[in-house]
């Protein structure tokens, strides 16, 4: 259909090569690489219409994990656009923010989301394309997309009250993929199960993109379910699995609820896997050890971030050290620095990263982008680590305003801003409390100006943000503790919950 004689993008080139091999499995359906690329070209044709190139216009898409997701993403890339995946669990307010911040004027959604989106899109002048209703497009000539062009914007919460769009180029994405393929030895024999949300780098790059780059198979689960994951493991076809520590925690709880015979049967299946990885948050040593006992797999823990892809990893071959994240991945430069950005050795310091995997900019935020890098181009992660016997060990973050819960990065400031909009709330402060299952859970200290209850605040917050951002504990105080500068002393607040 489309004219493919021009320069092809990395994923497209490979997809042509893998032809009729299975790329995706979802539900009872399987999809070959040729079918995937054909459909992506059709999506590109619909997006382009009479234009020859989307010229890096952002295109939002909100579709279920599987064929519709990958063909939408690839279609946007083939048409020369920037892919903006939208979380399925987000309420309309968060979606509006992303559309406004990116300025996306086109939105692909699956039929399940049309009633949520259609009024807003009509009013905002956004073209809404329903994935299931896409017609066959006419043959088109695809634009030539150079690797230095913008490819994807992912939203990340940080030390500002509103999430920032992280813009990665095709070069960043291909470099991230190649680095992982080399380190973790992906191959066409890989068959992985994607259980992660697809608006974050873990699921998008490590699970889907790297597997499809080498001709492997990606199977999808619509949503997390321990029972369903083990049912798929039990079928015996899967050989690679990647997840966040909370998922391993939940899988362990499920395994422990089974009888010995069933547990042993699943252990036999899991022992046959080539690789199991944990990342996105610290893997508690207790979880790593229990998982090894129950599955026979020693988890490979690695460290990454939306802005840099994966940066540090335990070795594929060699010792996987519990409580440590390992060594720099191929093409990634890592250093530890003091508060003056001076490199240090034999001491804890901030992790800084350089290399082709690092993102280009925060979308529309030149000042934030400048502040995120040192003058000589190192990205400041805000994570603190030490180097022990050649292995990095993460010690924490240099901001109490960032919370990691269930593998999601949350901004305390963002949650506070929303809580302050409740009519009974005079002031508030949000902190993360250590939690074995979730890594951290969100807790809010509230000063009230009129009577209300934690139940009411909870209902209010759930209407404004996805469940994983909602405070799980509330504490009411008459005032917030502050230091001499007037800043709330969050460490003092944390102890009040113990
Ligand atoms: C959900 N619940 C929580 C919670 N999230 N409770 C406390 N803290 C949280 N963070 C509650 C819900 O309110 C609900 O309870 C119950 O748990 C089930 O909710 P759910 O939404 O169905 O949760 P579940 O599907 O079980 O989700 C758990 C999860 C999910 C671990 C599968 O959080 C997840 O997919 N996390 C992965 C995120 C991710 O991909 N991060 C990567 C970012 S990239 P109730 O009472 O309401 O019924 C990155 C870079 C890198 O970090 O290095 O990779
Ligand atoms: P995100 O911004 O959602 O991409 O999350 C990135 C953050 O997750 C990093 O800055 C770290 O704080 C955290 N993180 C990722 N992997 C690990 C890990 N293995 N151990 C500890 N923290 C991690």
């Amino acid at each position: 259909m489309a004219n493919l004689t021009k320069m092809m993008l990395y994923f497209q080139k490979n997809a042509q090569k893998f032809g009729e091999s299975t790329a995706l499995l979802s539900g009872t359906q399987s999809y070959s690489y040729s079918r995937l690329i054909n459909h992506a070209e059709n999506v590109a044709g619909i997006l382009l219409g009479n234009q020859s190139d989307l010229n890096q216009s952002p295109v939002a898409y909100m579709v279920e994990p599987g064929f519709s997701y990958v063909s939408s993403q690839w279609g946007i890339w083939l048409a020369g656009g920037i892919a903006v995946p939208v979380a399925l669990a987000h309420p309309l307010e968060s979606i509006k923010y992303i559309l406004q911040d990116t300025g996306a004027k086109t939105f692909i959604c699956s039929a399940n989301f049309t009633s949520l989106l259609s009024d807003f899109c009509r009013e905002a002048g956004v073209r809404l394309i329903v994935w299931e209703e896409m017609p066959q497009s006419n043959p088109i000539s695809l634009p030539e997309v150079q690797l230095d062009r913008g490819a994807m914007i992912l939203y990340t919460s940080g030390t500002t009250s509103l999430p920032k769009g992280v813009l990665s180029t095709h070069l960043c994405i291909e470099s991230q993929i190649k680095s992982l393929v080399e380190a973790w030895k992906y191959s066409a024999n890989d068959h992985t199960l994607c259980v992660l949300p697809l608006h974050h780098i873990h699921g998008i790059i490590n699970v889907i993109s790297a597997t499809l780059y080498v001709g492997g198979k990606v199977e999808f689960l619509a949503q997390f379910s321990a029972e369903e994951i083990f049912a798929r493991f039990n079928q015996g076809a899967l050989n690679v699995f990647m997840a966040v520590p909370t998922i391993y925690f939940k899988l362990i709880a499920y395994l422990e609820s089974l009888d010995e015979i069933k547990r042993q049967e699943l252990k036999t299946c899991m022992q046959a896997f080539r690789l199991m990885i944990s990342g996105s948050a610290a893997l508690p040593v207790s979880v790593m050890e229990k998982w090894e006992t129950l599955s026979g797999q020693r988890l490979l823990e690695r460290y990454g971030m939306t802005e840099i892809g994966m940066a540090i990893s335990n070795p594929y071959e060699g010792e996987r050290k519990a409580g440590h994240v390992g060594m720099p991945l191929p093409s990634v430069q890592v250093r530890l620095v003091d508060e003056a950005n001076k490199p240090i050795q034999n001491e804890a310091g901030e992790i800084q990263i350089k290399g082709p995997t690092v993102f280009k900019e925060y979308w529309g935020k030149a000042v934030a982008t400048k502040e995120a890098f040192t003058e000589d181009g190192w990205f400041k992660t805000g994570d603190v680590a030490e180097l022990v016997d050649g292995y990095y060990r993460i010690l924490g973050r240099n901001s109490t305003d960032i919370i990691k819960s269930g593998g999601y990065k949350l901004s305390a400031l963002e949650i506070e801003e929303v809580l302050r909009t409740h009519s009974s709330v005079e002031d508030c402060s949000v902190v993360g409390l250590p939690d074995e299952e979730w890594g951290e859970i969100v807790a809010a200290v509230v000063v009230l100006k009129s009577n209300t209850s934690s139940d009411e605040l909870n209902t209010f917050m759930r209407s404004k943000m996805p469940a994983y951002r909602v405070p799980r504990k509330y504490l009411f105080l008459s005032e917030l503790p502050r230091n001499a500068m007037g800043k709330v002393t969050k460490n003092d607040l944390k102890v009040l919950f113990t």
Side-chain angles (χ1 to χ4, degrees):
M1 64 165 318
N3 172 6
L4 293 173
T5 53
K6 290 187 180 168
M7 189 197 88
M8 286 191 274
L9 277 163
Y10 45 99
F11 62 90
Q12 180 190 13
K13 224 184 295 178
N14 287 359
Q16 299 286 320
K17 215 162 59 193
F18 305 129
E20 295 316 308
S21 316
T22 300
L24 309 175
L25 292 134
S26 86
T28 54
Q29 294 280 317
S30 77
Y31 304 88
S32 68
Y33 280 89
S34 349
R35 189 161 167 205
L36 181 55
I37 203 75
N38 279 339
H39 203 84
E41 285 168 12
N42 194 58
V43 173
I46 305 273
L47 290 172
L48 283 166
N50 296 327
Q51 301 172 76
S52 58
D53 188 344
L54 292 185
N55 279 317
Q56 303 185 67
S57 315
V59 177
Y61 60 113
M62 186 173 180
V63 291
E64 286 82 8
F67 183 60
S68 52
Y69 182 96
V70 183
S71 61
S72 298
Q73 183 194 54
W74 287 13
I76 296 167
W77 285 344
L78 292 178
I82 297 178
V84 185
V86 173
L88 306 186
H90 281 199
L92 190 57
E93 286 200 30
S94 313
I95 300 170
K96 281 183 188 169
Y97 172 75
I98 290 180
L99 286 186
Q100 280 153 3
D101 193 63
T102 55
K105 286 287 165 220
T106 308
F107 199 155
I108 303 175
C109 78
S110 48
N112 284 337
F113 301 114
T114 37
S115 57
L116 174 72
L117 301 172
S118 53
D119 285 352
F120 168 72
C121 286
R122 195 175 330 101
E123 281 157 27
V126 172
R127 176 185 174 207
L128 188 63
I129 301 173
V130 181
W131 191 85
E132 290 84 346
E133 294 168 11
M134 276 188 199
Q136 194 65 33
S137 67
N138 293 323
I140 44 152
S141 172
L142 296 169
E144 278 192 37
V145 177
Q146 304 297 332
L147 286 179
D148 61 354
R149 282 225 213 164
M152 183 159 70
I153 300 176
L154 298 180
Y155 275 81
T156 186
S157 297
T159 47
T160 48
S161 59
L162 288 171
K164 296 191 287 278
V166 174
L167 175 69
S168 300
T169 61
H170 283 289
L171 181 64
C172 300
I173 292 178
E174 194 181 17
S175 305
Q176 291 174 6
I177 294 171
K178 280 179 162 170
S179 172
L180 295 188
V181 167
E182 183 183 335
W184 299 343
K185 313 264 185 276
Y186 289 71
S187 86
N189 296 326
D190 284 351
H191 183 160
T192 192
L193 182 66
C194 179
V195 300
L196 293 168
L198 292 179
H199 59 297
H200 283 303
I201 198 158
H202 192 163
I204 299 173
I205 301 293
N206 304 15
V207 181
I208 299 185
S209 307
T211 308
L212 297 182
Y213 191 79
V214 296
K217 294 186 191 68
V218 183
E219 189 166 335
F220 291 88
L221 269 195
Q223 60 195 31
F224 172 78
S225 149
E227 194 181 353
E228 188 58 29
I229 289 175
F230 285 121
R232 302 288 177 100
F233 283 8
N234 217 8
Q235 289 168 357
L238 294 160
N239 63 354
V240 174
F241 187 64
M242 301 182 190
V244 301
T246 304
I247 289 183
Y248 286 107
F249 184 97
K250 287 172 178 284
L251 295 181
I252 289 169
Y254 182 84
L255 282 173
E256 286 178 338
S257 73
L258 300 176
D259 64 44
E260 187 51 36
I261 296 173
K262 188 80 195 128
R263 226 176 10 233
Q264 195 51 49
E265 188 183 310
L266 285 169
K267 181 169 181 176
T268 307
C269 279
M270 291 192 279
Q271 275 171 322
F273 273 54
R274 177 179 80 75
L275 179 64
M276 289 192 178
I277 296 186
S278 173
S280 300
L283 175 66
V285 174
S286 59
V287 173
M288 181 165 178
E289 286 171 350
K290 272 192 198 158
W291 187 256
E292 191 166 5
T293 308
L294 290 165
S295 71
Q297 288 283 338
R298 188 154 179 88
L299 290 173
L300 182 156
E301 185 177 7
R302 55 63 182 176
Y303 160 87
M305 193 174 182
T306 306
E307 287 89 333
I308 57 174
M310 299 304 110
I312 306 177
S313 167
N314 270 284
Y316 182 73
E317 280 149 2
E319 190 188 356
R320 298 178 187 171
K321 263 196 191 174
H324 295 69
V325 290
M327 303 90 181
L329 279 161
S331 86
V332 181
Q333 294 176 62
V334 179
R335 70 178 191 181
L336 297 182
V337 299
D338 64 14
E339 278 169 12
N341 292 323
K342 207 163 104 339
I344 45 176
Q345 260 128 33
N346 309 321
E347 260 180 273
E350 185 193 23
I351 304 176
Q352 296 193 340
I353 304 288
K354 215 184 217 186
T357 59
V358 177
F359 78 124
K360 183 175 180 199
E361 63 191 38
Y362 292 117
W363 182 256
K365 292 186 170 53
V367 176
T369 306
K370 189 160 186 287
E371 284 171 0
F373 290 87
T374 63
E375 279 175 7
D376 51 350
W378 290 84
F379 175 71
K380 305 188 238 175
T381 63
D383 290 309
V384 177
E386 61 180 0
L387 186 61
V388 188
D389 299 331
Y391 284 70
Y392 284 92
R393 195 162 86 91
I394 310 286
L395 300 173
R397 285 178 297 269
N398 59 17
S399 165
T400 46
D401 287 327
I402 291 179
I403 300 168
K404 261 267 156 164
S405 187
Y408 285 109
K409 183 153 116 178
L410 315 175
S411 161
L413 303 179
E414 192 183 331
I415 301 167
E416 287 164 9
E417 291 265 303
V418 176
L419 196 47
R420 274 193 210 103
T421 63
H422 188 280
S423 57
S424 296
V425 174
E426 171 80 38
D427 202 358
C428 65
S429 183
V430 165
V431 291
L433 305 178
D435 183 84
E436 219 196 336
E437 178 171 8
W438 297 100
E440 287 180 287
I441 54 164
V442 179
V445 182
V446 183
V447 178
L448 292 177
K449 58 183 168 200
S450 61
N451 215 13
T452 188
S453 63
S454 48
D455 281 351
E456 193 193 313
L457 291 178
N458 187 37
T459 309
F460 172 79
M461 292 303 277
R462 278 177 185 251
S463 71
K464 302 278 178 191
M465 44 179 50
Y468 57 83
R469 286 194 196 145
V470 170
R472 301 286 149 175
K473 287 188 179 178
Y474 288 94
L475 184 71
F476 297 101
L477 290 184
S478 54
E479 62 180 324
L480 299 173
R482 293 179 189 274
N483 63 17
M485 314 284 287
K487 197 169 159 27
V488 175
T489 48
K490 293 204 168 185
N491 288 330
D492 293 340
L493 290 180
K494 288 188 185 192
V495 293
L496 298 178
F497 285 93
T498 51

